[in-house]
């Protein structure tokens, strides 16, 4: 795995606010007032802690997500630039500084790997939309900027989108 991908995948670990009950994997079909976005676009609403995959002018699939903790949030438009199943993970310098006992690499498939079962890296190499092996973190402000999903939900979204998909992150 390239250093760029490792850094992209690494920007996620965070030990912040954990919900008292774990979010349940359940992509929901919803009516969406997101007419400004084309079908196929992923929209992450940070303050809602929800990710929407736009299906058409009035419908979307909605998933609960964990987002960046205070000081680690971002907003903007990017694209998916890579898709990986059971990715290995290497913590970036910022995470390693905060948690020096973390190993330099955690293999894909390890229960200690914070990427879960799949990851989709975002252009620019800093962030990813990925699964998690800490389901109680989904729904909170918990990451270093990545979008964290339940493993069943990232598996569903992964099957619906491709490299090049537009991702819009709003506050």
């Amino acid at each position: 795995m390239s250093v760029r991908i490792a850094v992209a995948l690494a920007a996620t670990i965070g030990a912040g606010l954990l919900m008292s009950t774990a979010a349940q994997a359940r992509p929901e079909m919803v009516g969406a007032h997101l007419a400004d976005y084309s079908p196929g676009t992923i929209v992450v609403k940070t303050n809602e802690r929800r990710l929407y995959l736009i299906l058409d002018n009035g419908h979307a699939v909605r998933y609960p997500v964990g987002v960046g903790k205070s000081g680690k949030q971002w907003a903007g438009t990017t694209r998916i630039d890579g898709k990986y199943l059971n990715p290995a993970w290497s913590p970036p310098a910022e995470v390693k500084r905060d948690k020096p006992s973390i190993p330099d690499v955690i293999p894909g498939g390890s229960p200690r790997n914070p990427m879960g079962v799949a990851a989709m890296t975002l252009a620019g190499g800093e962030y990813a939309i990925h699964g998690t092996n800490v389901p109680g973190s989904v729904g909170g402000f918990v990451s270093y900027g990545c979008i964290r999903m339940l493993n069943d939900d990232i598996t569903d979204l992964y099957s619906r989108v491709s490299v090049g998909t537009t991702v819009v992150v709003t506050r």
Side-chain angles (χ1 to χ4, degrees), residues 46-166:
T46 301
N47 287 337
E48 285 183 23
R49 289 165 319 282
R50 298 283 186 262
L51 179 151
Y52 296 83
L53 174 60
I54 308 303
L55 300 177
D56 59 36
N57 246 355
H59 301 91
V61 179
R62 179 174 65 188
Y63 307 87
V65 295
V67 297
K69 59 187 174 179
S70 181
K72 306 297 182 194
Q73 296 175 5
W74 61 280
T77 300
T78 186
R79 293 191 181 275
I80 293 172
D81 71 356
K83 292 175 65 176
Y84 307 91
L85 294 173
N86 292 312
W89 180 75
S90 296
E94 181 180 16
V95 174
K96 195 72 170 165
R97 184 177 54 251
D98 291 350
K99 301 172 189 285
S101 64
I102 290 178
D104 291 337
V105 176
I106 299 176
S110 166
R112 295 178 35 228
N113 184 315
M115 296 291 104
V117 299
M120 297 183 290
T121 54
L122 302 177
E126 292 185 47
Y127 305 110
I129 299 170
H130 63 82
T132 182
N133 291 327
V134 184
S137 67
V138 173
F141 296 96
V142 294
S143 76
Y144 275 70
C146 286
I147 309 305
R148 192 179 291 182
M149 300 179 75
L150 297 168
N151 283 329
D152 287 346
D153 288 347
I154 189 67
T155 299
D156 182 72
L157 181 64
Y158 188 99
S159 73
R160 295 175 183 259
V161 299
S162 59
V163 170
T165 295
T166 299

Side-chain angles (χ1 to χ4, degrees), residues 20-39:
S20 59
T21 59
Q24 297 293 317
R26 62 176 189 284
E28 300 175 89
M29 296 293 281
V30 296
H33 301 287
L34 300 165
D36 294 341
Y37 303 105
S38 315

